[in-house]
Amino acid sequence: MPHASLELNRPTGDEVKTTTCYMCACRCGIRVHLKDGRVRYIDGNPKHPVNRGVICAKGSAGIKQHYSPARLSKPLLRVGERGKGEFREIEWDEALELAAKWLGDIRKRNPDELAFFTGRDQSQALTGWWAQQFGTINYAAHGGFCSVNMAAAGMYTFGGSFWEFGEPDWDLTRYLMLWGVAEDHDSNPIKLGLGKLKARGARIVAINPVRTGYGAIADEWVPINPGTDGLLAGALIHELLRLDRIDFDYLVRYTNAHHLVIRDPGAADDGLIARDADGHALCAARRVVDHSGESRDVGGRVVLVRADATGISPLVVGEFTLDDGRTAIPSFQLLAERYLAEECSPEAVSERCGVSVETIRRLARELAETAFDQSITLDQAWTDAHGRHHEKMIGRPVAMHAMRGISAHSNGFHTCRTLHVLQMLLGAIDTPGSFRYQPPYPKPAPPPNRPGKARKDNGLLDGGPLGYVQCPDDLLVDAEGRPRRLDKAYSWEHPLAAHGLMHSVIRNAWAGDPYRIDTLLMFMANMGWNSSMNTSETRRMLCDRDEATGEYRIPHIIYSDAYLSETVAFADLVLPDTTYLERHDCISMLDRPISDADCAADAIRQPVMPPDRDVRPFQDVLIDLGTRIGLPGLLKEDGSPKYPEGFAQYMVEHERAPGVGMLAGWRGTDGSKAGFGEPNPDQIKRYVEHGCVWEARVPDAARYYKMANQDYLNWARSLGFLGSTDPIVLQLYCETLQRFRLAAQGHGAQQPPERERERVERYFDPLPFWYEDLASRGSLRQEQGRSAYPCADSSESDFPLSAITQRPMFMYHSWGSQNAWLRQITTRNYLYLNPRTASENNVADGDWIWLASPLGRIRVQAKLHVATAPGTLWTWNAIGKRKGAWRLSDDAPENRDGFLLNHLIDELLPAKSDGHRHANADPVTGQAAWFDLRVRIECDPEPQREGHRVELNPTGKAA
């Protein structure tokens, strides 16, 4: 209908300020239009490198996030029982004094009695540093239950990772494979990139049990059974090897495919890389470089030389004799032996994957044809790390991207490693048209920073609480090999837990396993609801008391959030945070930068308005608390506060190392330096003048082959991204994993306890392999006698269906679903299933049914959906809310009809023969196995009667 009074030329506001969005993890640049001091409109910043003016529904709905009725407005002190939500408002002085008393007492007694765990805060460069200053090893972040196995797989394989550490070559790729990618992560850059691909006719293939979002615009949807991505990727490798469609030149230049692996079963170095006396990896070659620097043939003989030598012709197959008489073979041959086995063939894996033999073979053929028959040549000269000049850049225009669909499984680490091996075989890592690193990546594989283990005399932890272990000696275990961390990260149970195991914290603290703590400090981690497995039981544990003392098993809980989330009710002390439009934030190169492949970039948030409530930015509060309890680095020599103006001052003045601070742009006293430089008092001002973002373009000659490009390595070192200009060798064969396997076999000073030996030996295979999820049919006992690459049997199960969640493009984690504008898109969720699955279970469209797992069952409404793989059930994540939270009305659809699958997911695996239960997680990294959930459908006698309900079995109780 016409609008007679519509004023199209009326300004949206009287002032415009730039800042960085916080409605998802894209961290797009936004312009906030203000009128009379209030937010009137939010749009994208056209000059920002992340989104270039594009804004999504989440970003534009930031107005309703800022003015949400669920905002907290005052510090709160619990007065009733935990979980009842009974508080009294207190002043900040009282709140900070109480928190400082609890934390100060802990630090004097034992810093590890503090467990500090943060959700999707994007401030880990501060929070991790603070935990190190406090001295607690019990710090972890959101990634531990989001995508740590994917991040770790990339960092241990090629010094980068999918999403946040890299991206497809949107301008040149001709074939994009999306593996398990939902549409909430990195959405604007991906949408911009997909638009480029569609415009020029590139092919997009989406591999996912569900076709939504990006999959809906893909040229092909491959409906795969959950958790079998690694099995499919292995079959693709099988076909490429069988057809001899491998980029061998790429492999010997940039990977360790030609490195010789010692084959001496039972020896302490069996399976390790053969090295010379100086520690350099060896290979077998038919050509060598003589003293004059000339490459020459050695008369048909094979000699052992340094694998990084130039002018040689390395061999990638064969059996060779080392100087000590033992045998060694190239790592590529080990890989080929594994993946050429019949059990990796399309015929062997097709039924389990749910993908036909013909489709698997066709996909492999398409990958090879695109990579090799449509290769890209750029007229760009470059020099490699060995000083060799190249006139052109040769590219394989096949790109891959992956996300939670592969990571939320207990086999996710090896699945992701398999994908990276597939990329290497195609020569498709950081070449034109393929996956590309984003600065400051690549890093050495793995990076050298190890997790802190010991405290100095001043209580300071000797390293950051998170990091990358290189060998068993780096683990955080006691003299008997038992975990030292509350979440059991960096222990023999989960050795490569790069982000920690946040989802294990509450149960372990409740159980006193491995010990009791005093205080649980959480920031933006909704562990009282959608961020926990076995949600109902987790809530009970938070409220449980010690029978002997009558005190809570977790004595103190401090929680900071901007909103009245479900977890607020379980806190003893609530420290209310601001919204993202009311504070300074730092999107740092030390944390999660916003670079793209051609540009290093970091950013800030600036407060576009002051808070209208009695709230404070959590970063300011954390600095204040650290100052009150006298943490190193937060006090001057005279004992006065080092950062009295809070986080904004810390952002500018703090130096992680001389000349290296939180922000890379406009450093030096006059702002003329980048990367390195003295603190600049006008640094934040300069960022604001440039739309709150800083950029540094990658030199043209450095755009590709970053892991071995002399120009890139020099440029990255000049900005502080790398400590060395040595080339980064891609790890086709991961020697780090073999070191753990050897320890499990009885070698070395640091060995796993007897209970963990079999598990470590099994899962720390230096070559990626696939195994059935651990929560259902893939326990270690059931895998005995299988080969290194088993395909699970198809025996019937009491719980024959897979249940997963998808993250919608219009929500991000949990906080978006309380937003008034976004709620209009989806106010409740359904259980979606394929019509064939529905027919097999006597379910009609719209029926209310029961979904059961070993923990219990939930009553939900079913919807038929042809774009769901048969045998898979799914729903949107985090739509269901707890009544009383988020200040939604009691009859809100999110409360009445919204539901969580979390109630059905056990946080522990079934008990072993000795009664021990490991976390329901990836055994290598500890990544929460959200998508390993197996269920069955139980029909309700009154399927048309509405009503969501949760019924837990006695086995769902904590034991």
Side-chain angles (χ1 to χ4, degrees):
M1 60 183 294
H3 295 271
S5 60
L6 201 59
E7 299 180 55
L8 297 178
N9 296 320
R10 185 175 183 179
T12 54
D14 49 37
E15 186 180 10
V16 178
K17 292 185 177 182
T18 58
T19 189
T20 304
C21 189
Y22 196 52
M23 295 299 288
C24 81
C26 282
R27 293 148 293 173
C28 296
I30 56 174
R31 299 184 303 191
V32 182
H33 300 247
L34 304 169
K35 186 173 180 63
D36 299 328
R38 289 179 60 85
V39 180
R40 180 72 179 83
Y41 181 67
I42 297 176
D43 65 353
N45 181 356
K47 299 179 181 179
H48 198 278
V50 171
N51 57 315
R52 306 192 186 282
V54 172
I55 195 165
C56 67
K58 299 187 295 293
S60 60
I63 303 174
K64 291 299 183 181
Q65 203 77 2
H66 175 70
Y67 290 119
S68 168
R71 291 182 304 173
L72 297 170
S73 59
K74 192 85 173 174
L76 301 173
L77 183 65
R78 178 178 57 80
V79 295
E81 291 291 311
R82 268 198 203 153
K84 298 296 185 182
E86 297 172 357
F87 298 95
R88 70 175 175 89
E89 293 185 345
I90 60 175
E91 300 303 319
W92 273 103
D93 283 345
E94 182 181 354
L96 294 171
E97 183 178 343
L98 181 59
K101 175 68 167 62
W102 292 348
L103 297 175
D105 288 348
I106 291 172
R107 193 167 191 272
K108 293 173 184 175
R109 187 170 62 243
N110 176 9
D112 293 339
E113 291 183 16
L114 169 66
F116 180 19
F117 292 89
T118 70
R120 179 46 108 165
D121 65 289
Q122 301 174 5
S123 296
Q124 288 168 218
L126 169 68
T127 56
W129 177 85
W130 191 95
Q132 181 181 359
Q133 308 308 109
F134 189 89
T136 181
I137 60 175
N138 289 318
Y139 166 85
H142 167 89
F145 60 52
C146 179
S147 58
V148 66
N149 55 12
M150 190 172 69
M155 295 307 292
Y156 280 87
T157 302
F158 67 104
S161 176
F162 294 124
W163 186 64
E164 288 197 305
F165 301 168
E167 64 181 339
D169 191 339
W170 298 113
D171 292 319
L172 296 178
T173 193
R174 293 171 178 161
Y175 196 104
L176 174 64
M177 265 190 168
L178 296 171
W179 295 81
V181 178
E183 49 265 24
D184 66 327
H185 285 90
D186 204 25
S187 59
N188 283 337
I190 287 181
K191 284 181 286 190
L192 288 167
L194 292 176
K196 290 182 178 180
L197 268 59
K198 298 294 284 187
R200 55 187 174 80
R203 183 166 175 75
I204 303 170
V205 177
I207 299 171
N208 201 311
V210 178
R211 186 172 196 172
T212 62
Y214 308 139
I217 67 165
D219 298 283
E220 181 177 4
W221 169 50
V222 180
I224 190 171
N225 293 329
T228 64
D229 303 78
L231 203 55
L232 174 59
L236 296 176
I237 291 174
H238 174 96
E239 286 296 288
L240 293 175
L241 290 168
R242 185 179 67 83
L243 298 171
D244 198 24
R245 299 285 262 171
I246 305 295
D247 192 338
F248 288 105
D249 184 63
Y250 183 94
L251 290 178
V252 298
R253 282 181 180 271
Y254 307 117
T255 82
N256 64 358
H258 56 301
H259 293 200
L260 292 176
V261 177
I262 298 168
R263 181 171 274 181
D264 188 8
D269 56 358
D270 177 49
L272 298 182
I273 302 294
R275 301 179 188 276
D276 64 18
D278 296 320
H280 300 114
L282 295 174
C283 73
R286 296 190 191 278
R287 294 183 66 83
V288 298
V289 178
D290 60 25
H291 296 296
S292 66
E294 294 294 321
S295 176
R296 61 180 177 83
D297 190 82
V298 288
R301 293 184 299 111
V302 173
V303 295
L304 303 186
V305 297
R306 280 180 53 169
D308 61 352
T310 59
I312 63 174
S313 297
L315 300 174
V316 295
V317 295
E319 188 172 288
F320 307 99
T321 302
L322 301 174
D323 290 344
D324 61 7
R326 294 188 298 169
T327 298
I329 60 176
S331 68
F332 175 82
Q333 179 168 325
L334 293 174
L335 182 93
E337 289 173 355
R338 170 161 298 178
Y339 284 99
L340 279 172
E342 181 59 29
E343 59 196 1
C344 295
S345 68
E347 291 83 359
V349 308
S350 172
E351 182 177 357
R352 182 65 189 89
C353 289
V355 182
S356 71
V357 172
E358 294 75 16
T359 298
I360 296 173
R361 286 193 172 136
R362 176 177 53 79
L363 291 174
R365 186 173 64 252
E366 290 174 356
L367 287 172
E369 289 173 351
T370 307
F372 301 114
D373 301 340
Q374 302 178 38
S375 62
I376 293 175
T377 300
L378 300 182
D379 290 325
Q380 174 63 61
W382 67 288
T383 304
D384 67 30
H386 301 286
R388 295 173 295 198
H389 183 75
H390 305 266
E391 289 296 331
K392 300 180 184 298
M393 291 180 165
I394 309 299
R396 308 297 184 192
V398 171
M400 297 186 187
H401 187 59
M403 207 49 219
R404 282 180 56 82
I406 70 166
S407 69
H409 292 284
S410 54
N411 58 23
F413 175 84
H414 280 289
T415 290
C416 194
R417 278 261 299 145
T418 306
L419 291 181
H420 294 324
V421 167
L422 177 59
Q423 291 173 286
M424 289 185 214
L425 297 179
L426 292 167
I429 293 179
D430 215 58
T431 61
S434 69
F435 169 92
R436 302 183 66 192
Y437 293 108
Q438 296 173 337
Y441 297 90
K443 302 287 189 181
N449 53 304
R450 296 163 166 83
K453 297 178 65 173
R455 283 186 284 270
K456 301 178 181 180
D457 291 342
N458 62 356
L460 178 72
L461 202 61
D462 64 357
L466 301 180
Y468 299 92
V469 301
Q470 318 285 315
C471 63
D473 290 342
D474 295 333
L475 294 178
L476 272 71
V477 293
D478 65 16
E480 283 73 42
R482 295 173 300 209
R484 285 182 52 207
R485 281 178 53 117
L486 178 67
D487 60 358
K488 303 184 181 181
Y490 309 117
S491 74
W492 289 108
E493 296 193 22
H494 304 286
L496 306 190
H499 298 162
L501 281 74
M502 189 170 170
H503 51 288
S504 294
V505 170
I506 291 174
R507 170 173 278 278
N508 291 353
W510 168 85
D513 178 20
Y515 46 77
R516 292 284 182 89
I517 61 168
D518 179 274
T519 297
L520 176 59
L521 172 59
M522 295 184 293
F523 172 41
M524 271 187 67
N526 197 13
M527 306 306 292
W529 194 243
N530 61 278
S531 292
S532 63
M533 297 174 168
N534 198 354
T535 302
S536 297
E537 182 62 5
T538 298
R539 295 163 64 86
R540 191 188 74 80
M541 288 187 282
L542 288 169
C543 300
D544 197 26
R545 294 179 181 271
D546 188 306
E547 292 183 1
T549 65
E551 300 297 324
Y552 287 115
R553 283 177 175 253
I554 304 175
H556 302 120
I557 298 176
I558 304 173
Y559 185 54
S560 180
D561 202 325
Y563 305 99
L564 186 65
S565 69
E566 285 87 355
T567 302
V568 168
F570 298 90
D572 302 307
L573 179 63
V574 179
L575 305 175
D577 191 18
T578 63
T579 73
Y580 70 101
L581 298 180
E582 299 169 322
R583 66 168 181 257
H584 282 101
D585 269 337
C586 185
I587 298 91
S588 174
M589 283 290 173
L590 304 179
D591 188 358
R592 311 173 77 110
I594 54 170
S595 307
D596 64 36
D598 289 323
C599 168
D602 62 10
I604 68 166
R605 291 189 184 91
Q606 64 160 328
V608 300
M609 62 180 58
D612 59 359
R613 309 161 318 288
D614 193 10
V615 298
R616 297 183 185 181
F618 178 70
Q619 294 91 334
D620 287 2
V621 170
L622 202 61
I623 289 172
D624 188 325
L625 287 173
T627 302
R628 289 171 184 253
I629 59 180
L631 296 188
L634 288 172
L635 298 177
K636 297 179 180 179
E637 291 185 3
D638 63 3
S640 63
K642 190 171 184 178
Y643 306 108
E645 298 175 23
F647 188 50
Q649 184 181 6
Y650 177 94
M651 285 165 54
V652 172
E653 297 181 6
H654 173 74
E655 291 183 282
R656 197 56 54 93
V660 178
M662 296 287 283
L663 294 168
W666 297 288
R667 300 196 66 79
T669 54
D670 61 354
S672 62
K673 299 179 181 179
F676 287 106
E678 306 82 5
N680 171 17
D682 291 327
Q683 189 178 38
I684 288 181
K685 179 181 177 182
R686 297 296 299 275
Y687 270 83
V688 172
E689 291 171 351
H690 289 81
C692 294
V693 63
W694 168 82
E695 301 176 71
R697 301 295 299 176
V698 176
D700 288 345
R703 295 178 63 218
Y704 295 99
Y705 307 103
K706 293 185 179 75
M707 63 282 190
N709 185 312
Q710 189 178 91
D711 290 298
Y712 178 80
L713 296 170
N714 288 333
W715 178 82
R717 188 178 185 186
S718 74
L719 291 172
F721 302 160
L722 290 171
S724 167
T725 57
D726 292 338
I728 294 165
V729 178
L730 311 188
Q731 305 294 299
L732 190 80
Y733 181 92
C734 186
E735 189 178 30
T736 300
L737 298 179
Q738 180 64 13
R739 296 186 189 281
F740 283 88
R741 172 174 272 186
L742 288 170
Q745 293 171 351
H747 300 291
Q750 187 74 268
Q751 297 180 23
E754 198 61 38
R755 182 174 68 195
E756 302 297 335
R757 287 184 185 272
E758 197 172 51
R759 177 175 157 106
V760 172
E761 183 175 6
R762 170 67 178 151
Y763 297 114
F764 278 73
D765 195 312
L767 293 171
F769 70 106
W770 184 84
Y771 50 89
E772 187 75 75
D773 67 83
L774 304 186
S776 55
R777 292 173 291 180
S779 71
L780 188 60
R781 292 191 302 277
Q782 290 168 309
E783 288 191 2
Q784 295 308 306
R786 293 183 181 171
S787 67
Y789 197 96
C791 184
D793 59 49
S794 56
S795 59
E796 292 295 320
S797 167
D798 290 336
F799 302 96
L801 304 172
S802 291
I804 63 174
T805 60
Q806 291 285 102
R807 295 184 174 226
M809 196 175 291
F810 49 85
M811 299 287 183
Y812 186 70
H813 290 270
S814 63
W815 62 81
S817 52
Q818 52 97 6
N819 184 294
W821 285 357
L822 299 177
R823 287 183 63 211
Q824 297 177 60
I825 302 174
T826 295
T827 57
R828 52 83 50 91
N829 52 326
Y830 300 92
L831 183 74
Y832 296 98
L833 67 167
N834 187 279
R836 192 175 88 192
T837 308
S839 176
E840 292 170 350
N841 288 274
N842 299 313
V843 175
D845 190 43
D847 278 358
W848 284 84
I849 61 173
W850 289 95
L851 194 64
S853 82
L855 283 187
R857 62 181 193 165
I858 56 176
R859 193 172 188 269
V860 299
Q861 190 172 19
K863 285 286 186 182
L864 304 192
H865 187 235
V866 295
T868 298
T872 296
L873 314 171
W874 72 276
T875 190
W876 293 124
N877 177 66
I879 302 298
K881 297 297 181 191
R882 180 74 173 177
K883 187 177 292 188
W886 304 99
R887 294 203 171 94
L888 299 176
S889 63
D890 287 346
D891 64 346
E894 292 89 344
N895 298 335
R896 186 182 65 245
D897 300 321
F899 66 91
L900 297 178
L901 284 182
N902 306 48
H903 292 289
L904 302 181
I905 306 174
D906 202 336
E907 69 270 54
L908 298 176
L909 291 172
K912 297 179 64 176
S913 57
D914 62 358
H916 181 72
R917 300 181 68 186
H918 289 98
N920 182 12
D922 185 316
V924 180
T925 66
Q927 159 71 41
W930 299 99
F931 290 0
D932 284 355
L933 176 62
R934 305 287 296 186
V935 296
R936 67 168 175 256
I937 291 173
E938 298 175 354
C939 291
D940 190 277
E942 300 180 80
Q944 300 307 309
R945 180 173 58 84
E946 297 185 351
H948 167 58
R949 201 156 72 247
V950 177
E951 294 182 358
L952 295 182
N953 296 330
T955 54
K957 296 290 186 182

